[in-house]
Amino acid sequence: MQQYPEWIWQNGAIKRWADATTHVMSHALHYGSSVFEGIRAYSTPSGTAIFRLNDHTRRLHASARIYEMAIPYTADEINAACHEVINRNGLERAYLRPVAWRGLGGFGLSAETPIDVAVAAWHMGPYLGEGALTEGIDACVSSWQRFAPNTIPAGAKAGGNYLSGQLVAREARRLGFGEGIALASTGLLSEGAGENLFLVFDGALHTTPVSAALLNGITRDSIIRLARDAGIEVIERDLPREYLYLCDELFMCGTAAEITPIRSVDGRQIGAGRAGPVTLRLQELFFGLFDGRTPDRHGWLQPLQS
């Protein structure tokens, strides 16, 4: 059963979790008009640090601009709220959820409404289940495709976009898989239900481009940069479905999923059926940022402020 934290930040103030409410006729509830971020804070040898906080809040505002939502708080104010909810809830590690949405104020699609904002923080373990990071998961290609270009902007992290991900994820769970993989409207690979994809061929990383109806994930960008720093070749290109069955290694990544190996797709074993050497190396580099093994050359760790 979900354990909720005690405190949350909403519209400029800390309040008790149960008091953070919005009206049932809010625009976002009916039309999906919200934008959000998922951010992790890790326990490090120097104390709690938030991973790439500035990049996340910058993307939150970018997503809002696409949907013509004027967030009434600056990135610095939302950053401060992230620090505050971690401190108030006494968390050493946390998953953070800043979210902005069209509130109560009109009932038409184009209605002008207030923009409400909240920031929550809670403890989250491995998103795809205990053992997923070490043992990997079994995935399937979903019958649901991602949206076509110039329909819904995949580059915005908007609440309504995740209706697609819900269909992909729920179908996968119903069929007994750990997660689903979606194809783009072209029939080429896109991404997971809520994760980006990386395939390994002959020691090189291959990943689908942002034109493949996917969110340009911050964890995705981190992996690309860590890999290149370590001398691992990274290739962004269109990839057909069958390459899932032919690659040497395969993994998903995201703030929630972190770096999760995929051991099979559609019942077909990938490589040795477990995390391969490139996946393990990238896990080492990524998690090494938080235990001190990997130098933070890019300034991604923001120490928690009291």
Side-chain angles (χ1 to χ4, degrees):
M1 191 172 178
Q2 179 69 51
Q3 297 294 312
Y4 300 115
E6 186 174 2
W7 302 101
I8 190 170
W9 184 96
Q10 185 182 28
N11 292 334
I14 286 284
K15 57 181 67 175
R16 293 195 178 276
W17 183 276
D19 295 333
T21 59
T22 190
H23 199 280
V24 295
M25 296 307 295
S26 290
H27 194 277
L29 185 61
H30 297 263
Y31 301 125
S33 47
S34 67
V35 295
F36 70 96
E37 284 295 317
I39 311 167
R40 279 196 189 258
Y42 290 90
S43 179
T44 78
S46 302
T48 299
I50 306 175
F51 184 59
R52 298 192 69 170
L53 177 59
N54 293 332
D55 295 313
H56 280 286
T57 49
R58 187 179 301 117
R59 188 174 64 182
L60 179 74
H61 278 81
S63 296
R65 282 200 303 276
I66 292 171
Y67 280 97
E68 300 181 26
M69 296 170 59
I71 295 179
Y73 300 96
T74 66
D76 286 342
E77 288 172 318
I78 292 173
N79 288 349
C82 290
H83 287 273
E84 190 171 6
V85 292
I86 294 174
N87 281 317
R88 287 295 295 266
N89 287 301
L91 298 168
E92 293 183 356
R93 294 177 295 138
Y95 181 89
L96 289 152
R97 172 57 57 83
V99 57
W101 68 97
R102 294 192 185 277
L104 180 66
F107 304 118
L109 282 172
S110 62
E112 295 298 331
T113 74
I115 305 301
D116 293 317
V117 184
V119 179
W122 65 92
H123 173 72
M124 177 189 282
Y127 174 65
L128 294 173
E130 293 298 329
L133 296 177
T134 54
E135 298 169 16
I137 62 165
D138 301 306
C140 67
V141 175
S142 179
S143 65
W144 295 98
Q145 290 185 326
R146 285 298 196 210
F147 18 85
N150 208 32
T151 55
I152 294 176
K157 194 171 176 69
N161 289 18
Y162 283 77
L163 289 170
S164 167
Q166 288 178 52
L167 291 169
V168 173
R170 294 184 70 86
E171 179 183 50
R173 305 296 196 279
R174 187 174 67 251
L175 296 175
F177 294 95
E179 188 59 294
I181 295 170
L183 304 180
S185 61
T186 58
L188 300 172
L189 282 178
S190 178
E191 61 180 351
E195 310 89 3
N196 295 127
L197 288 173
F198 283 91
L199 293 74
V200 178
F201 291 93
D202 298 323
L205 277 181
H206 296 246
T207 192
T208 46
V210 294
S211 57
L214 55 86
L215 181 72
N216 186 11
I218 289 172
T219 306
R220 174 185 182 272
D221 175 71
S222 302
I223 288 168
I224 290 171
R225 292 166 74 175
L226 287 170
R228 287 176 172 159
D229 287 348
I232 299 170
E233 185 181 11
V234 182
I235 301 165
E236 296 182 69
R237 61 167 177 144
D238 288 330
L239 293 162
R241 171 180 177 166
E242 62 268 22
Y243 277 36
L244 291 170
Y245 312 132
L246 301 175
C247 60
D248 304 317
E249 304 175 40
L250 176 64
F251 64 86
M252 289 178 161
C253 72
T255 295
E258 298 170 306
I259 298 177
T260 299
I262 299 174
R263 61 192 177 211
S264 74
V265 178
D266 296 335
R268 305 185 190 203
Q269 181 173 301
I270 306 301
R274 59 181 181 273
V278 176
T279 305
L280 291 171
R281 175 61 175 147
L282 288 166
Q283 283 185 330
E284 178 184 34
L285 291 168
F286 180 76
F287 291 110
L289 288 165
F290 316 122
D291 64 21
R293 289 174 295 161
T294 303
D296 181 21
R297 296 189 180 95
H298 302 285
W300 288 337
L301 300 180
Q302 187 174 116
L304 186 64
Q305 299 165 0
S306 59

